[in-house]
Amino acid sequence: MARADLPRLDLLRSFAVAARTLSFTRAGEELALTQSAVSRQIQQMEEGLGVALFERRHRALALTAAGETMYRAVQDCLERLRDATASVRAVTRARQVAVTTTPGFASLWLIPRLARFSADHPLVDVRVSATNDLLNLERAGIDVAVRFCATAQGMGRPLFEETVLPVCAPRLLLDPARPLRRPADLVHHTLLVMEGHHGMAPMEDWAPWLQVMGLAGIRGTNQLRFSNYNDAVAAALAGQGVAIGRLPLAAALLHAGQLVAPFERSGHSQRGYFVAAGPQAGGNPDAQDFIAWLHAEAQRPL
């Protein structure tokens, strides 16, 4: 059918509303048009078809036989168009992966690497929820969770275990009044410590390394406490004290020389990162790709 044989879409829309309401006035109110504008559009459509669509009665409208036929056809087409639009929008929305993890993992490990995932999956949006709260994956609509927990209580498939050792800004090593030659020298420095959350005891982030070194009772000259690990790292970068370096989260900063490890010996924290898939991830191939990418990145050298 030639393009000119079809009524314009705006005329069809006005006709559908007028046929449903049987009133040019109510159709105008619904379409944000005047009654006369709707009447003119219906007249244009009738002239183009060469047939009357409405019987104009006194203060009333009725569809003609041709109008009834046209109304059914227009309604069917509009319904198909609405269904197709909803389907296309649903597919578009599905091209996303919702991820939850801790602020430290998001800031120090995940976000610096995300550009590589986006380069290989340019049509996929990644939504990161960085929180220390354990979100309900189904209720929050989360596809992938990267959990930090004790290795004995792993929540999902292991990503990597954590090792720890003290880290600080390079300039702290240049202070002759407060050397950092041996672990006991930490008593002369500010310790950057994570506040307890989810049952985490004070100094728990330092405890594994201090136990390995036989320094369980050390506290430093004072402590700065943080609720998020990335804030503790930011304070270390600013030279405000010595933090416990969680590897591999802090590995890139050590590799770049932004942080240094004054003591070589590290300890296992008996904690690690685990990848768990939410209930909706099974039907989301992009979420499956993201999980595979996380594990590939965990094996990738710096």
Side-chain angles (χ1 to χ4, degrees):
M1 181 179 286
R3 185 176 178 181
D5 291 337
L6 291 173
R8 298 196 320 262
L9 185 58
D10 60 327
L11 301 185
L12 290 173
R13 182 166 173 258
S14 294
F15 166 72
V17 178
R20 173 166 50 81
T21 60
L22 293 177
S23 168
F24 292 162
T25 300
R26 287 198 295 276
E29 292 170 354
E30 189 170 321
L31 296 167
L33 297 171
T34 63
Q35 183 270 348
S36 58
V38 174
S39 179
R40 284 195 301 272
Q41 287 184 334
I42 299 302
Q43 188 175 1
Q44 289 177 43
M45 187 169 166
E46 289 175 325
E47 290 173 353
L49 294 171
V51 63
L53 299 172
F54 290 93
E55 292 181 13
R56 275 80 166 170
R57 301 171 180 171
H58 180 65
R59 294 192 173 185
L61 289 176
L63 285 169
T64 63
E68 291 278 5
T69 300
M70 199 68 186
Y71 181 49
R72 286 193 296 271
V74 171
Q75 280 292 89
D76 182 62
C77 289
L78 290 177
E79 283 300 319
R80 288 171 181 260
L81 186 58
R82 289 189 193 99
D83 290 344
T85 301
S87 175
V88 168
R89 283 179 176 162
V91 170
T92 301
R93 284 196 298 269
R95 295 301 307 265
Q96 79 165 19
V97 180
V99 183
T100 182
T101 189
T102 65
F105 184 89
S107 176
L108 297 171
W109 195 91
L110 178 60
I111 292 172
R113 292 167 168 79
L114 267 181
R116 290 200 280 264
F117 179 82
S118 296
D120 292 336
H121 303 80
L123 300 180
V124 180
D125 294 333
V126 179
R127 177 168 60 88
V128 179
S129 175
T131 175
N132 288 319
D133 296 329
L134 294 179
L135 300 181
N136 182 292
L137 303 188
E138 183 173 13
R139 207 158 43 230
I142 298 293
D143 296 295
V144 182
V146 181
R147 306 289 204 195
F148 178 61
C149 58
T151 52
Q153 302 170 349
M155 303 178 184
R157 181 180 167 190
L159 187 62
F160 43 67
E161 290 188 60
E162 177 188 71
T163 57
V164 292
L165 77 173
V167 296
C168 64
R171 66 175 177 270
L172 282 190
L173 297 182
L174 303 177
D175 185 352
R178 296 184 303 160
L180 273 171
R181 299 191 187 96
R182 53 195 179 91
D185 291 336
L186 287 169
V187 296
H188 305 298
H189 288 266
T190 297
L191 300 187
L192 308 174
V193 178
M194 286 287 293
E195 287 278 11
H197 57 82
H198 298 311
M200 186 177 182
M203 288 289 290
E204 187 174 325
D205 52 336
W206 277 84
W209 185 83
L210 292 174
Q211 288 170 2
V212 167
M213 303 307 297
L215 299 170
I218 202 168
R219 288 186 53 83
T221 55
N222 64 311
Q223 297 178 3
L224 293 179
R225 296 179 173 270
F226 302 91
S227 59
N228 290 324
Y229 181 62
N230 46 316
D231 293 334
V233 170
L237 289 167
Q240 295 180 15
V242 184
I244 199 69
R246 295 178 174 178
L247 303 181
L249 264 60
L253 296 173
L254 287 167
H255 185 74
Q258 294 175 265
L259 291 175
V260 293
F263 321 115
E264 293 183 0
R265 192 172 178 186
S266 62
H268 294 286
S269 71
Q270 307 302 315
R271 295 187 294 256
Y273 289 86
F274 296 78
V275 180
Q280 65 187 33
N284 184 350
D286 295 318
Q288 299 302 317
D289 288 346
F290 189 82
I291 291 172
W293 173 81
L294 282 173
H295 288 284
E297 282 292 318
Q299 302 301 317
R300 184 184 181 123
L302 289 175

